[in-house]
Amino acid sequence: FTEFLKSIRYERRREYKKINEIENLCVKIENNEKKFINIYKNLIPAIGKLAFDTHVKLIKNAILNNYARINFMYDDKKLISATLFYYFKDQSYYAFSAIDRHYKKNFSCTAFLILEQINFAFKNNISTLDFLGVNSPNRADFKESFGGSLTSFHELVFKKK
């Protein structure tokens, strides 16, 4: 993991180091469905109620079937951010992340939590980590900053007549 950190974009390394130096921030691994959904609700204005409800079904199913790993970041005892990754055999998938919309600092809590998930993947011999696509240039830049590369995929949509 240490060698991997050297290969990613400077901003991510800086954020990782900065958060590690802040004493009142801590990360806990808890597959707590209610807690994750509660912070994830902050995204309803951006993604809409239908997408949120669909995501909640995926989250519940992943937790029920032991495919989910959720990490939470706290500032003292206040929950400020979380990520949920799916793990299946030797593969990992970045599924969801959320942040308290009132928590603003000069670093990315989400980036740190993603790096914590990547560290877990290294320690557990996970061979593939998939960020599950991008839908905007900014999201592509963020995801590529972790050292990955974009791979094209195609989706077929069939419409009923």
Side-chain angles (χ1 to χ4, degrees):
F1 180 71
T2 304
E3 288 302 309
F4 164 77
L5 281 178
K6 293 175 185 176
S7 73
I8 65 174
R9 197 175 296 162
Y10 170 76
E11 298 104 302
R12 301 296 158 240
R13 293 192 314 266
R14 181 184 63 81
E15 290 163 344
Y16 189 76
K17 182 181 178 192
K18 189 172 187 174
I19 289 178
N20 269 317
E21 293 171 350
I22 300 173
E23 290 183 27
N24 59 319
L25 294 180
C26 73
V27 174
K28 294 181 181 177
I29 311 307
E30 308 170 71
N31 279 356
N32 186 317
E33 171 189 313
K34 289 180 183 178
K35 194 180 290 187
F36 186 83
I37 291 169
N38 191 47
I39 194 168
Y40 196 68
K41 284 179 185 175
N42 288 320
L43 293 176
I44 291 174
I47 65 173
K49 183 80 167 97
L50 178 62
F52 174 79
D53 290 343
T54 303
H55 294 176
V56 167
K57 288 177 187 176
L58 292 169
I59 292 163
K60 288 181 176 190
N61 189 49
I63 292 170
L64 178 68
N65 290 294
N66 294 316
Y67 293 138
R69 181 177 186 271
I70 305 172
N71 58 7
F72 294 97
M73 182 179 286
Y74 296 87
D75 186 345
D76 287 324
K77 294 181 180 181
K78 180 176 175 31
L79 174 60
I80 57 172
S81 187
T83 67
L84 185 149
F85 276 58
Y86 300 136
Y87 286 89
F88 182 71
K89 297 183 182 180
D90 67 341
Q91 299 175 353
S92 176
Y93 305 88
Y94 170 33
F96 304 105
S97 61
I99 188 165
D100 181 331
R101 66 180 178 262
H102 303 295
Y103 190 84
K104 297 208 188 315
K105 294 287 180 184
N106 294 327
F107 51 81
S108 171
C109 299
T110 303
F112 184 88
L113 291 175
I114 290 170
L115 288 168
E116 190 281 327
Q117 294 276 18
I118 292 171
N119 190 20
F120 175 83
F122 269 93
K123 289 178 180 176
N124 290 278
N125 298 313
I126 304 297
S127 65
T128 304
L129 197 147
D130 189 336
F131 275 57
L132 296 177
V134 296
N135 59 1
S136 72
N138 286 343
R139 184 154 298 148
D141 183 64
F142 176 74
K143 290 182 175 185
E144 283 184 314
S145 73
F146 292 94
S149 59
L150 294 177
T151 303
S152 295
F153 70 94
H154 303 278
E155 182 177 298
L156 295 175
V157 178
F158 296 98
K159 294 183 179 180
K160 293 180 182 180
K161 289 185 176 185

